[in-house]
Amino acid sequence: MKIVCSQSDLKNNLSLVSRAVPSRPEPPVLGNVLIKASETTQKVSLIAFDGSLGIKTKFNASVESGGSITLPAKLLNDIVTRLPESEITLEVQSDDDNFVATISSTSGQFQLTGIDATEFPELPTIEAGETIELPIATLNEGLGGCLFAASTELSKQVLTGVHLKTQGLGENNLGDILEFAATDSHRLAVVAADLNPEDAETTIELPKLAITIPAKALRELERMVSDESGGDKVKVSFDEQVMVFELGDRLLTSTKISGDYPAYGQLIPQSFTREIILDRKRLLTSLELVAILAQKNNLVKFSLNNEASELVVSADAQDIGNAEQSLPAQIMGEDIEIAFNIKYLMDGLKAIPTSEIKMQLNEWNQPVIFSPLGSLQMTYLVMPVQIRS
């Protein structure tokens, strides 16, 4: 195999697939990137797989002779990243016992020992399943509004994923709302993405769907589509075990998470006795300031003053000091003091894209809802914490 390509093309595509390389590969070949070159298409494909998440990408190159090999992902990435921006030649001389790749550029050359490509497992495929097309804008909206709330505790495996569910099911069991939900049991983020807004040029209807996908895979999908036009669409195929996302020459595959996702809709209160409308950035700035003194216990207190139309945000670090910030707010309902984990608040506020937000609550020990004022249908539920006197 012999290919000639630009350093930037190889670097960018290696960076993309390397995120699917496991830190402790088993079998060892999964610590490598599979490289395939085709003389017919004059394209090079790179594939990485951790047993659950797989990423494949293709790019144009001058392929003098086709072939395939797997090379150590980290070493190859480190080498290519540090090479100057010029043409790179990758050539493989193989025999029955050795697979050695020579990487040459204007500054010199490196040799890496690889593993036979036949030892690299095939990525999962969808043979008999559903296929739909989702606008990138819908994926960005849904993932951006909930990924941060997924759990990182492996003991709660089903909570380490994002739950996708079809809503608005009508004729033929088809829906036009795709709901994204994530929770770590302390907070819950739900985005209801309307697939057919009033200004939509075409109608999208989804089959009945209720699946949980690892948040890790969806973070990579979010990165994959981040530099694409919001009007483009991602082809999504799925069956009982696997989901495959395709966008041009890029492909991401992930196994689903088994188990029942919590009935999160039952956690969201249906009525509220208090409602506050706030400037999101101003609240976030206030939280960032008091966070300096909330580092010890991560606790922030909200004091609502209806008569003064004011929200006071404060933090008290015992034996160190305290901080207090006030900001104007439209308050409906009686005064109250309520406390939160400040990190949870800031995570949610950063994910809300609108300038104004609505905060809805009942009592100091009951769930609080933050939502954007605007077209985005997003619900961010946070459980308050007890204020210790």
Side-chain angles (χ1 to χ4, degrees):
M1 181 176 80
K2 184 176 181 181
I3 63 171
V4 180
C5 63
S6 73
Q7 182 266 354
S8 60
D9 281 346
L10 185 54
K11 179 186 73 172
N12 292 339
N13 285 279
L14 262 178
S15 176
L16 175 67
V17 300
S18 292
R19 304 186 71 88
V21 176
S23 55
R24 296 179 179 177
E26 186 59 46
V29 72
L30 293 184
N32 287 13
V33 170
L34 173 61
I35 304 171
K36 292 182 176 181
S38 169
E39 286 183 72
T40 305
T41 62
Q42 290 293 295
K43 283 183 178 286
V44 174
S45 66
L46 304 178
I47 303 171
F49 188 40
D50 69 2
S52 171
L53 168 66
I55 301 178
K56 177 180 180 180
T57 182
K58 296 179 184 178
F59 61 96
N60 295 322
S62 173
V63 181
E64 296 183 18
S65 59
S68 59
I69 191 174
T70 76
L71 294 175
K74 186 178 186 309
L75 287 175
L76 181 60
N77 201 28
D78 288 347
I79 291 169
V80 172
T81 300
R82 288 166 174 76
L83 288 175
E85 291 188 19
S86 61
E87 283 193 340
I88 290 177
T89 300
L90 191 152
E91 188 171 6
V92 178
Q93 301 290 341
S94 63
D95 55 37
D96 292 338
D97 300 313
N98 267 326
F99 292 86
V100 178
T102 302
I103 304 154
S104 308
S105 74
T106 54
S107 59
Q109 67 176 34
F110 294 83
Q111 284 194 327
L112 282 179
T113 301
I115 299 175
D116 189 349
T118 60
E119 294 189 27
F120 200 91
E122 293 283 341
L123 293 184
T125 56
I126 306 294
E127 294 182 1
E130 299 275 4
T131 297
I132 57 178
E133 288 192 337
L134 289 178
I136 287 177
T138 298
L139 283 171
N140 284 333
E141 185 179 280
L143 297 178
C146 75
L147 265 174
F148 67 92
S151 177
T152 56
E153 296 183 31
L154 296 180
S155 59
K156 304 175 181 177
Q157 189 181 23
V158 75
L159 299 187
T160 63
V162 171
H163 193 66
L164 272 63
K165 182 168 66 174
T166 314
Q167 297 282 32
L169 296 174
E171 291 185 31
N172 302 319
N173 221 17
L174 297 176
D176 57 4
I177 300 290
L178 182 60
E179 193 168 272
F180 299 75
T183 179
D184 60 4
S185 74
H186 301 290
R187 53 185 173 170
L188 164 70
V190 182
V191 177
D194 187 353
L195 299 173
N196 297 304
E198 293 181 2
D199 58 352
E201 295 181 0
T202 57
T203 299
I204 302 173
E205 292 184 315
L206 300 185
K208 188 173 182 180
L209 181 71
I211 54 175
T212 307
I213 307 170
K216 176 185 176 182
L218 293 177
R219 288 189 187 98
E220 299 313 320
L221 177 65
E222 189 179 37
R223 290 188 181 96
M224 185 184 294
V225 303
S226 62
D227 57 352
E228 301 294 334
S229 167
D232 290 341
K233 293 184 178 181
V234 176
K235 180 182 175 183
V236 185
S237 305
F238 57 94
D239 59 18
E240 292 298 318
Q241 301 294 329
V242 178
M243 287 203 78
V244 177
F245 300 87
E246 295 179 68
L247 178 63
D249 286 333
R250 297 177 174 183
L251 179 147
L252 183 147
T253 178
S254 174
T255 55
K256 300 177 189 177
I257 298 178
S258 59
D260 294 330
Y261 203 78
Y264 55 85
Q266 299 175 8
L267 304 175
I268 302 172
Q270 298 303 305
S271 60
F272 301 91
T273 57
R274 297 173 174 87
E275 183 174 295
I276 304 96
I277 294 176
L278 296 155
D279 182 282
R280 182 185 68 89
K281 288 186 178 179
R282 195 160 180 175
L283 175 57
L284 193 53
T285 299
S286 297
L287 289 171
E288 288 170 342
L289 284 168
V290 302
I292 297 168
L293 287 175
Q295 293 177 8
K296 191 171 183 179
N297 56 16
N298 280 328
L299 192 70
V300 63
K301 183 170 74 175
F302 279 18
S303 301
L304 275 59
N305 187 328
N306 190 328
E307 185 177 349
S309 295
E310 183 179 70
L311 169 67
V312 177
V313 178
S314 60
D316 190 358
Q318 191 174 7
D319 302 328
I320 297 176
N322 57 69
E324 184 176 289
Q325 292 284 306
S326 61
L327 60 156
Q330 299 177 39
I331 300 175
M332 288 152 277
E334 297 179 0
D335 296 354
I336 193 173
E337 288 189 345
I338 189 167
F340 303 95
N341 179 307
I342 195 167
K343 180 183 181 302
Y344 292 164
L345 280 188
M346 293 175 69
D347 285 349
L349 290 172
K350 288 174 182 177
I352 295 174
T354 56
S355 58
E356 286 189 313
I357 59 169
K358 180 165 60 177
M359 175 182 169
Q360 296 169 291
L361 66 152
N362 290 308
E363 301 302 326
W364 68 267
N365 59 351
Q366 295 177 355
V368 178
I369 299 295
F370 292 85
S371 54
L373 286 182
S375 58
L376 178 64
Q377 298 181 56
M378 176 180 174
T379 300
Y380 183 50
L381 180 152
V382 185
M383 291 301 299
V385 295
Q386 185 174 358
I387 303 173
R388 299 184 184 278
S389 55

